[in-house]
Amino acid sequence: MPIQALPALAPIALAVAAAFGLLRPGRRPLGVARAAQVAALLAVAAAAVAVGVLAWSGPTTVTGIRLDAVSASLLALVTLVGWVVLRYTASYMDGEAREGAFTGWLCATLSSVMLLVISGHLLLLVAAWIATSVCLHRLLLFYPQRRRARLAARKKFVMARLGDAALCGAAVILAVACGSGDIAAILAAAGTESATTAMRWAALLLALAAALKSAQFPTHGWLTEVMEAPTPVSALLHAGVINAGGFLLIRFADVILQAPLVMAALVALGGFTALFGAMVMLTQPAVKTSLAWSTVGQMGFMVMQCGLGLFPLALLHLIAHSLYKAHAFLASGSGVDQVTAARRPGPVAVPGLTAVGGAFATALATYIGVGLLFGLESKPPQVIALGLILILGVAYLLAQGFADHAPRALTRRTSLYALATTLGYFALHALTTAATGTTLPPPPAPGPLAWALMALALMSFAAVAVAQTLFPLWACHPAATGLRVHLANGLYANALLDRLLGAWRVNDDIHAHRRTTS
C-alpha cells in the first residue's frame, strides 16, 4: 500500500471494530469497548500520517482516496471527536442491554464519515454518504419504544432519502459531463472551463443535498427532535454527521462557483436559517434542545459562507463548531449540575441606549483598526461583510460591559474579548486561506445580486443584534411575551412540516420493533 493511501486505514479500523461490536450485541460484551477505543486511536494515527504526507508531497489521489487540505483536516477532526465519543460511550452505556450493538453502530457511523471525507471518487463518496445516514438511523432508534424517537427518526429518514436522491443525481450529471468519476478531475474541469448547463444543474442538486443534510429551514425539525437518543449520539451527530452538508459544498466548491444563482440561494437560505436558529435557541429551557437549535443556526451560517464563496472560512467554521459542540453535549450534564449548585447571581447591569450606541461604535472602530493591520482594503467584499456580521456579536458583548452599573472589571474583560475576537478573525482567515490556497478557490467578484444579498444580510443581522441588546428594556412588554412563545415553538414551521409528511401517523407494528432491535 502506498503511503498516500494510509489514511484509508482509519475507516477500515473502525469498520472492523463495528463488526466486532455487532457480533457481540449484549450487555458488557467482552473486549468491545476496548477494541473500539483502540481502533479509534489507530484512526487518529492514520489521520496524523495523512497530515504529514500532505505537508510532504502535496494534494494527491491514490486508489480512490483524496488527500488534500480539506480531507486531511476533516479526517483529523472526525478521528479525534470519534475517539473522545467512544471513550465517553464506554462509561455512559455501561450496563445497557444492547451496549455492544450501540458501540458497533457508533463505530460504523464513524467509519462511514471518515470514508466520506477522504473519498476521491464519486461512487465511493455516494456510498459513504448513504452509509452514514443508514448507520445514524440505527442509532437514533436505539430506544425504539420511545414514540418521539420514532417520530424524529422517521422525519430524518425522509430528509435523508431526498438528500441521497439529489446527490446521486448530481453524481450522474458530473460523471457524464466530465467523462470521469474522479473528483480531482471533476474539480479541475469545473475550475478551468466555462460554466455549462450540466454544471449548473449539478450545483443545484449538490446544494439541495447539502441543505437537506445540514437541516436548513424548513427541513430542520428532525435535528431538534432527536434528543431521545443517548448523549453520545447527539455529540456525534452535532459534531460530525451534520457537517456532511457543509463538507459537500466545500468539496465541490469549484462546481458551486459555476452557478451564481445557486450561490445566491445558499446565502438567502443560510442567512435566514442562521437568524431563525439563533433566535429560537434563546427561548429553549432544556440544555440539549438549546444546543440543537444552536446547531441549526450554525449550519445556516456555514451554508451562507459557502454561498458567499468563502469556502476556507466555512471549513474553519466547520472544524471550530464541531469541537465546541462535541464538548458542549458531552459536558451538558455536569454543566447543569454546576449551574444548579452555583450561588444565585446578583442584579444584571442593563445597557441603555447610550451604552448600546457606544458599544456598536467601539466594535466598528476596533474592526476597522485591526482590519487595516491585516490589509482590510485589499480583502474581498465577502470577507469584509462577514467580518461586519461578526462585529455585531462583538458589539453585543461590549454593551454588557458598557452598561452604566457594570463593574470596571467586566468592562475591561469585554473590551479584551472584543479585541481578541477581531484579531482572531483576521488571523485565522489569513492562516486558513494560506493552508487551503491550492485546494479551495477564492471568492468570485460579487455581482449586483450578491451585493444586494450581502446588504440584506448585514441589515438583518444588525436588526437582530440591536433588538437582542436592547431586549431587557422591552422584555416586559406584552408583545415580547407573545414573541417569546412563538419563537419557543419554532414559529410552528416544524408542526406544519409534520402535517405535510403525515408524521403524526407512526407505524408501531411488531415487525418494525424487531427490525430495529435485531
Side-chain angles (χ1 to χ4, degrees):
M1 176 185 289
I3 190 171
Q4 291 86 349
L6 283 179
L9 292 178
I12 291 174
L14 268 298
V16 172
F20 186 52
L22 294 175
L23 289 173
R24 298 186 174 189
R27 181 182 286 108
R28 293 196 177 96
L30 182 63
V32 169
R34 179 62 58 86
Q37 293 179 47
V38 170
L41 284 175
L42 290 175
V44 171
V49 171
V51 173
V53 170
L54 176 64
W56 179 261
S57 61
T60 183
T61 302
V62 179
T63 61
I65 302 302
R66 175 70 177 165
L67 186 59
D68 58 16
V70 175
S71 59
S73 58
L74 292 185
L75 181 63
L77 170 70
V78 174
T79 54
L80 177 61
V81 170
W83 174 63
V84 172
V85 170
L86 284 170
R87 280 182 57 87
Y88 182 86
T89 300
S91 58
Y92 185 89
M93 299 300 293
D94 184 46
E96 284 279 351
R98 298 170 51 237
E99 178 183 349
F102 179 87
T103 303
W105 285 116
L106 194 64
C107 290
T109 305
L110 283 167
S111 177
S112 301
V113 176
M114 292 176 193
L115 183 61
L116 175 67
V117 300
I118 63 174
S119 295
H121 196 278
L122 287 176
L123 284 177
L124 203 59
L125 184 139
V126 171
W129 177 279
I130 296 174
T132 300
S133 293
V134 172
C135 295
L136 178 64
H137 187 73
R138 302 303 294 259
L139 290 173
L140 295 179
L141 285 174
F142 183 72
Y143 296 123
Q145 71 278 10
R146 298 181 179 179
R147 183 176 181 276
R148 292 184 62 187
R150 297 197 305 276
L151 285 170
R154 182 179 185 272
K155 194 181 301 182
K156 170 66 173 68
F157 184 85
V158 173
M159 298 304 166
R161 298 296 74 78
L162 292 174
D164 295 347
L167 180 59
C168 289
V172 171
I173 293 174
L174 290 173
V176 172
C178 300
S180 171
D182 183 73
I183 293 177
I186 292 170
L187 297 179
T192 56
E193 300 176 3
S194 58
T196 63
T197 302
M199 282 291 182
R200 294 191 185 98
W201 277 107
L204 176 61
L205 290 175
L206 288 171
L208 178 59
L212 290 167
K213 195 77 166 183
S214 55
Q216 297 300 285
F217 183 91
T219 66
H220 60 279
W222 64 268
L223 184 60
T224 62
E225 295 178 347
V226 295
M227 298 300 105
E228 294 293 330
T231 296
V233 179
S234 299
L236 178 60
L237 171 60
H238 290 263
V241 178
I242 193 66
N243 294 317
F247 162 75
L248 189 68
L249 295 174
I250 295 169
R251 169 53 74 210
F252 291 97
D254 294 282
V255 177
I256 300 297
L257 288 177
Q258 297 274 6
L261 289 179
V262 172
M263 295 182 67
L266 290 174
V267 173
L269 178 62
F272 179 81
T273 304
L275 288 172
F276 173 70
M279 289 190 294
V280 176
M281 175 200 70
L282 297 175
T283 64
Q284 300 303 305
V287 174
K288 291 178 68 175
T289 306
S290 178
L291 289 174
W293 279 103
S294 167
T295 299
V296 172
Q298 293 292 337
M299 291 301 102
F301 200 76
M302 184 172 60
V303 167
M304 186 181 72
Q305 289 172 320
C306 292
L308 292 172
L310 301 175
F311 297 102
L313 281 174
L315 177 63
L316 176 64
H317 186 182
L318 188 155
I319 294 172
H321 174 259
S322 295
L323 294 174
Y324 155 69
K325 201 52 66 74
H327 173 267
F329 269 100
L330 296 180
S332 58
S334 59
V336 171
D337 293 338
Q338 292 174 6
V339 171
T340 303
R343 188 176 54 183
R344 187 177 183 86
V348 177
V350 177
L353 291 175
T354 303
V356 171
F360 277 84
T362 303
L364 181 60
T366 303
Y367 177 73
I368 295 175
V370 173
L372 290 175
L373 297 177
F374 286 88
L376 179 66
E377 67 280 0
S378 62
K379 299 288 185 184
Q382 295 94 325
V383 175
I384 297 175
L386 193 73
L388 287 173
I389 292 175
L390 174 69
I391 283 304
L392 295 172
V394 172
Y396 172 77
L397 179 68
L398 284 172
Q400 314 310 308
F402 285 10
D404 294 337
H405 299 290
R408 291 184 178 274
L410 178 62
T411 304
R412 289 193 298 269
R413 192 179 303 119
T414 54
S415 300
L416 287 175
Y417 288 163
L419 179 61
T421 301
T422 310
L423 283 168
Y425 173 72
F426 285 106
L428 289 173
H429 171 256
L431 179 63
T432 308
T433 302
T436 61
T438 59
T439 302
L440 297 176
L449 180 58
W451 279 109
L453 286 171
M454 284 191 288
L456 178 62
L458 279 171
M459 289 188 292
S460 301
F461 278 91
V464 172
V466 172
Q468 182 182 357
T469 306
L470 295 175
F471 181 77
L473 300 178
W474 55 280
C476 297
H477 193 279
T481 303
L483 178 61
R484 189 184 295 110
V485 172
H486 297 318
L487 286 175
N489 288 280
L491 301 182
Y492 312 102
N494 194 34
L496 294 175
L497 184 62
D498 283 346
R499 293 194 176 189
L500 180 64
L501 296 177
W504 66 90
R505 301 193 197 110
V506 180
N507 187 6
D508 291 328
D509 60 86
I510 190 65
H511 300 291
H513 283 269
R514 287 176 177 173
R515 284 196 301 269
T516 305
T517 56
S518 61

